[in-house]
Amino acid sequence: MDIVRSPYAYAKIKNINSEKALAIPGVLAVVTGKDLEQYNLHWMPTLMSDTQMVLPVDTVMYQAQEVAAVIATSRYIAADAIEAVEVEYEVMKPLMDAHKSLDKDSPILRTDKEGKKDNHVWHWEAGDKGKTDIAFNKADVTVAEDIYLPRIHVASMETCGCVADYDKVNNFLTMHMTTQAPHAIRTVIALVAGHVGLTEEKIRVISADIGGGFGGKVPVYPGYVIAIAASFLIGKPVKWIEDRSENLQADSFARDYHIHCEMAATKEGKMLATRFKLLCDQGYTDAAANPSKFPAGMFSICTGSYNYDAAFIEADAVYTNKPPGGVAYRCSFRVTEAVHAIERLTDSLARKLDKDPAQLRMENFVKKEEFPWKSPTGWEYDSGDYHKALRKAMDVVGYEDLRKEQAEKRKDGKLMGIGISSFTEVVGAGPSKDFDILGIKMFDSAEIRIHPTGKAIARFGTKSQGQGHETTYAQIIAEVLGIPAENIQVEEGDTDTAPYGLGTYASRSTPTAGAAAAVAARKLRDKAKKIAAYLLEVSEEDLEWDINKFVVKGAPDKAKTIQEIVFAAYTNHPQGMEAGFEATHYYDPPNLTFPFGSYICIVDIDKETGKIDIRRFVAIDDCGNIINPMIVQGQVHGGLTQGIAPAMYEELIYDEDGNILNGTFMDYLVPTAVESPSWETGHTVTPCPHHPIGAKGVGESPTVGAPPAIANAIIDALSPYGITHLDIPITPFKVWKKLKEVGAFNN
Ligand code: CDP
């Protein structure tokens, strides 16, 4: 299958003529929105309960939107045939500027929604407005920033794709696809196609090695649904693989938040309150992958690592003629935006007070003994030791010496900057009382089966995309049961075999399925104890666990290994006990986990060219107890590189006619090893008090924490020239232009 895409951002479809395409030998079908409309399959729900076109019937809403699909006997023929599909458009002026979307003279985009009279999507508030206003009124000092977190795109190794294989005889759909959330997708397909007979038991979703996801492979894209419809239509498996430009131009974006933020403080530097006003550009439909209750995701963690008691957030989302989405790109639903705002504001306050930014942070951090700490916006931070993490980062980087060096360099007019980000993260969605997607609670699951010979298979509702779950989940089970990790086969991604789960994104796997693994393994150890007592003819109280066996207290030679016990579970179990050795657990976390860290970035900037060199970058992370240090370090390295990406390189840019100006990797700059500095990583360990093994998630921390550290370092370098803000990505050209503007050099 290949897809005809719109060259225009906003246009009426006058006619689609498929004749020439159908005449090409090897072309089996051309599918249009009108074809799908007959089965009521032309629209589908988004994960935020909005609606999205599968294929348009009369209007296209963004450049590169799917307009029709060609199914042919080979990808090459399909690619030729999409050129032969003739589409007649009546082009309209698109709405590209979120700031103008509520203007009276802007077109109303969602005319499909009955009675919709504007482009407003939702309004959301968190915190206490009255209390915050009072704090601002009595503050000695206030600072404000206008920050734009630009639209960026996940650039995983592989694009999206699927093979939709509909078996007419058995009315059964097998969907091999690139998804981070196979079970949720199965449910969504059943919701979309249940009325044509594809009910949930007739659908199997298989997600194998998908080449990275980072949040971008959570949504249901039209391509998947068209492939299903096409397989239905022609009775053959249909394969669809996006090319890189399609992926970059049409799939869900991340960020695109305009943030006005303010902080109030005393003249001594005690933080008192923050206020945030957001304008959120959703594109033409809200297809964000956020929990239902949180339309702006977890932005309300924007109070960060600091102790003050008033904050207020007001967010409005609007439609524009851009691709839909709002994916949690290596981010716990908008926490990246939140952390960026608070960490930039903190530096602004330090500058205004002429205070060292590290000192200001140290003075305002929530203290170790104050946990669990209730934030002014209602989160209960589980545990933390922010002072320790920042102190460690300062020691590793040699902070005090670097400040002295900076002062010397400034005398010579040289631009050196030191940037800090002391972030608090919020991962592990989530507790069922607050977290659901399309009504499905955000628990996750583990099922462990130990075979008679003591080897195991463990299946999970999450889905690794390269994070190494096969290693770490096996380690968790091995630790509890004493079965060697190499004897534990870990499987994810097949809805016919894995227990139901919500998938992997937003660093939720360790806090949810990792916890489920530990609890299920403990259930098995409890059963093992009963069997060991029976085999050893002692009571359970007489037994103690020793790495991989139950031993009779005081009689170390009287013991049964886990392998002997498991064998007995199938061959010689006590009368009345259920045979076999398996356990399942659906873990509903009591709270989220709050990993944190302190990052320090050192930059040198060449004044004449604006070239930015990251001289050093020290990252101290705390994700509670670490399951596998090597995997965590790998997560941090990759995440930091994805952190320099928005800080210095990546941004999707559109012109006012809705054309994307950097829709290929020639122009959309993804940093590589060449652009990455040599990361210096380290950690502190503050266990999570409510997680069965004291672990917190880690995958996204570096992507969340790095951008403000880099931005703060660059602004710190430029501050002698009175420059206090540049929007990310901060490119050499932006720096050079600004320096020229303020008269930093003459030529
Ligand atoms: O949901 P996702 O797997 O992307 O994120 P995560 O839970 O943060 O885990 C990323 C990887 O790091 C997994 O293989 C985890 O098991 C591992 N990890 C770890 O070894 N120790 C931790 N405390 C947290 C994560």
Side-chain angles (χ1 to χ4, degrees):
M1 181 172 99
D2 202 356
I3 292 177
V4 179
R5 291 180 182 273
S6 170
Y8 305 111
Y10 192 33
K12 288 249 178 272
I13 299 173
K14 307 281 282 179
N15 187 39
I16 300 178
N17 185 346
S18 314
E19 266 173 41
K20 285 186 187 154
L22 285 166
I24 296 173
V27 171
L28 302 175
V30 175
V31 182
T32 65
K34 289 220 162 98
D35 298 326
L36 297 183
E37 192 181 17
Q38 293 171 36
Y39 304 96
N40 198 23
L41 286 174
H42 55 313
W43 285 87
M44 61 181 181
T46 70
L47 296 177
M48 275 308 281
S49 301
D50 203 336
T51 49
Q52 176 171 5
M53 293 177 210
V54 178
L55 283 172
V57 172
D58 49 28
T59 312
V60 287
M61 301 296 260
Y62 61 94
Q63 191 183 52
Q65 185 180 343
E66 300 80 0
V67 173
V70 171
I71 295 84
T73 49
S74 86
R75 176 69 166 79
Y76 298 99
I77 298 172
D80 287 344
I82 61 168
E83 304 292 332
V85 176
E86 294 168 334
V87 188
E88 235 181 281
Y89 296 98
E90 181 189 315
V91 182
M92 299 183 282
K93 183 79 188 151
L95 168 59
M96 300 308 294
D97 183 350
H99 291 284
K100 293 191 179 146
S101 83
L102 298 178
D103 289 359
K104 288 220 159 46
D105 52 353
S106 287
I108 292 159
L109 300 184
R110 296 300 301 274
T111 47
D112 58 288
K113 287 176 184 266
E114 218 173 294
K116 186 95 185 108
K117 297 236 165 22
D118 58 26
N119 294 310
H120 191 253
V121 190
W122 45 254
H123 175 85
W124 181 67
E125 294 181 2
D128 186 329
K129 185 173 187 318
K131 205 168 162 187
T132 305
D133 289 347
I134 292 167
F136 268 85
N137 289 340
K138 68 172 196 214
D140 305 321
V141 186
T142 60
V143 284
E145 293 280 348
D146 282 294
I147 295 172
Y148 176 52
L149 272 286
R151 186 172 266 244
I152 58 169
H153 194 275
V154 172
S156 46
M157 292 291 280
E158 301 294 343
T159 60
C160 293
C162 68
V163 175
D165 186 358
Y166 177 65
D167 170 356
K168 264 200 170 110
V169 175
N170 293 304
N171 181 33
F172 195 90
L173 173 73
T174 307
M175 187 70 180
H176 302 264
M177 66 186 287
T178 47
T179 177
Q180 299 175 228
H183 284 98
I185 295 289
R186 186 184 66 186
T187 304
V188 173
I189 297 173
L191 291 175
V192 175
H195 66 285
V196 291
L198 264 187
T199 46
E200 206 163 354
E201 82 284 10
K202 298 287 183 193
I203 304 165
R204 178 181 188 186
V205 175
I206 301 171
S207 181
D209 287 339
I210 63 173
F214 305 113
K217 288 174 182 160
V218 174
V220 182
Y221 292 115
Y224 298 129
V225 183
I226 306 168
I228 295 171
S231 181
F232 229 70
L233 189 73
I234 64 168
K236 291 189 168 67
V238 172
K239 178 178 178 181
W240 167 66
I241 304 286
E242 283 175 322
D243 67 29
R244 182 56 72 179
S245 301
E246 292 178 290
N247 178 269
L248 193 55
Q249 294 172 22
D251 287 0
S252 282
F253 68 92
R255 325 291 188 243
D256 216 348
Y257 265 29
H258 302 262
I259 306 170
H260 176 74
C261 50
E262 302 165 89
M263 183 181 275
T266 65
K267 57 184 182 310
E268 291 79 25
K270 168 84 192 84
M271 294 176 185
L272 298 174
T274 47
R275 221 162 25 196
F276 299 81
K277 195 165 171 48
L278 315 179
L279 181 65
C280 316
D281 186 341
Q282 296 299 151
Y284 97 86
T285 176
D286 186 2
N290 283 331
S292 306
K293 264 198 195 170
F294 302 92
M298 297 181 203
F299 187 90
S300 56
I301 193 157
C302 52
T303 52
S305 310
Y306 311 107
N307 186 346
Y308 53 88
D309 42 43
F312 181 64
I313 298 114
E314 201 174 355
D316 286 279
V318 293
Y319 292 126
T320 58
N321 285 110
K322 293 188 197 167
V327 295
Y329 172 7
R330 210 164 182 173
C331 158
S332 218
F333 319 108
R334 307 297 186 176
V335 72
T336 316
E337 290 87 330
V339 164
H340 201 89
I342 187 78
E343 289 305 301
R344 292 283 300 113
L345 267 183
T346 303
D347 263 36
S348 298
L349 181 64
R351 231 182 345 268
K352 184 143 188 184
L353 295 168
D354 201 17
K355 222 177 211 269
D356 182 281
Q359 183 61 27
L360 180 69
R361 284 176 169 83
M362 288 288 194
E363 286 170 10
N364 284 283
F365 279 152
V366 177
K367 295 189 184 77
K368 185 181 165 190
E369 57 279 10
E370 287 167 341
F371 291 91
W373 185 70
K374 195 99 175 162
S375 88
T377 49
W379 301 105
E380 187 178 291
Y381 293 16
D382 53 358
S383 61
D385 190 345
Y386 302 150
H387 295 87
K388 190 172 169 185
L390 178 55
R391 190 60 255 172
K392 187 166 178 177
M394 290 167 75
D395 290 345
V396 173
V397 84
Y399 186 80
E400 284 78 9
D401 288 346
L402 284 164
R403 283 285 177 211
K404 284 185 200 137
E405 182 194 331
Q406 183 185 43
E408 288 304 311
K409 287 232 160 93
R410 281 184 175 167
K411 285 185 204 154
D412 300 336
K414 294 216 167 81
L415 303 179
M416 171 186 165
I418 304 171
I420 303 174
S421 155
S422 289
F423 63 92
T424 290
E425 254 272 48
V426 52
V427 305
S432 62
K433 66 178 168 37
D434 287 324
F435 288 85
D436 73 274
I437 285 189
L438 286 177
I440 309 165
K441 300 294 183 186
M442 294 188 75
F443 56 81
D444 228 294
S445 58
E447 180 203 88
I448 308 172
R449 287 186 190 175
I450 321 273
H451 310 312
T453 54
K455 319 290 187 220
I457 182 153
R459 294 182 169 121
F460 297 86
T462 46
K463 172 68 198 118
S464 184
Q465 308 122 45
Q467 298 91 319
H469 292 174
E470 297 82 351
T471 307
T472 49
Y473 287 164
Q475 278 182 261
I476 294 170
I477 298 166
E479 174 82 16
V480 179
L481 286 173
I483 293 171
E486 61 266 30
N487 290 153
I488 302 166
Q489 179 76 21
V490 169
E491 256 186 36
E492 297 172 294
D494 183 342
T495 54
D496 263 14
T497 53
Y500 201 101
L502 269 280
T504 289
Y505 40 86
S507 299
R508 66 185 298 276
S509 303
T510 303
T512 57
V519 176
R522 284 175 193 173
K523 286 184 190 170
L524 287 175
R525 204 166 74 182
D526 290 346
K527 179 166 186 175
K529 195 174 194 181
K530 289 189 171 44
I531 299 174
Y534 168 74
L535 297 176
L536 292 162
E537 296 178 357
V538 293
S539 79
E540 282 182 58
E541 291 71 48
D542 295 332
L543 292 173
E544 59 191 2
W545 178 251
D546 179 19
I547 300 176
N548 66 345
K549 54 183 185 279
F550 275 109
V551 182
V552 177
K553 287 178 192 161
D557 51 334
K558 284 192 79 185
K560 287 287 170 194
T561 65
I562 187 75
Q563 285 78 12
E564 290 169 319
I565 295 168
V566 173
F567 194 68
Y570 292 89
T571 58
N572 179 24
H573 56 285
Q575 283 302 306
M577 177 188 272
E578 209 177 334
F581 208 74
E582 56 186 75
T584 303
H585 191 77
Y586 288 80
Y587 186 77
D588 181 3
N591 189 6
L592 297 156
T593 71
F594 294 77
F596 58 94
S598 267
Y599 294 174
I600 302 183
C601 174
I602 314 297
V603 298
D604 297 296
I605 298 179
D606 181 79
K607 205 193 294 179
E608 310 287 319
T609 63
K611 183 168 179 287
I612 304 156
D613 272 329
I614 299 184
R615 190 200 307 177
R616 290 183 66 192
F617 195 106
V618 170
I620 303 299
D621 275 284
D622 193 317
C623 58
N625 289 332
I626 294 173
I627 303 157
N628 186 310
M630 193 168 71
I631 283 189
V632 167
Q633 198 189 27
Q635 290 286 305
V636 174
H637 277 219
L640 290 171
T641 305
Q642 286 183 313
I644 8 173
M648 294 173 69
Y649 299 96
E650 294 180 9
E651 174 177 20
L652 290 169
I653 307 166
Y654 296 85
D655 70 12
E656 57 182 35
D657 293 324
N659 299 305
I660 183 163
L661 301 183
N662 53 354
T664 77
F665 277 176
M666 290 294 286
D667 304 303
Y668 186 83
L669 302 178
V670 177
T672 67
V674 175
E675 287 78 23
S676 304
S678 185
W679 307 114
E680 298 172 59
T681 59
H683 60 263
T684 55
V685 175
T686 313
C688 170
H690 61 77
H691 186 279
I693 58 167
K696 305 181 181 186
V698 74
E700 70 202 34
S701 286
T703 317
V704 170
I710 297 167
N712 281 343
I714 296 171
I715 297 302
D716 186 47
L718 303 176
S719 61
Y721 289 100
I723 298 169
T724 57
H725 179 75
L726 281 173
D727 270 329
I728 59 169
I730 307 180
T731 59
F733 179 65
K734 269 191 201 169
V735 170
W736 174 83
K737 208 169 136 219
K738 194 78 190 173
L739 282 168
K740 192 166 161 55
E741 217 174 277
V742 298
F745 52 85
N746 302 320
N747 54 335

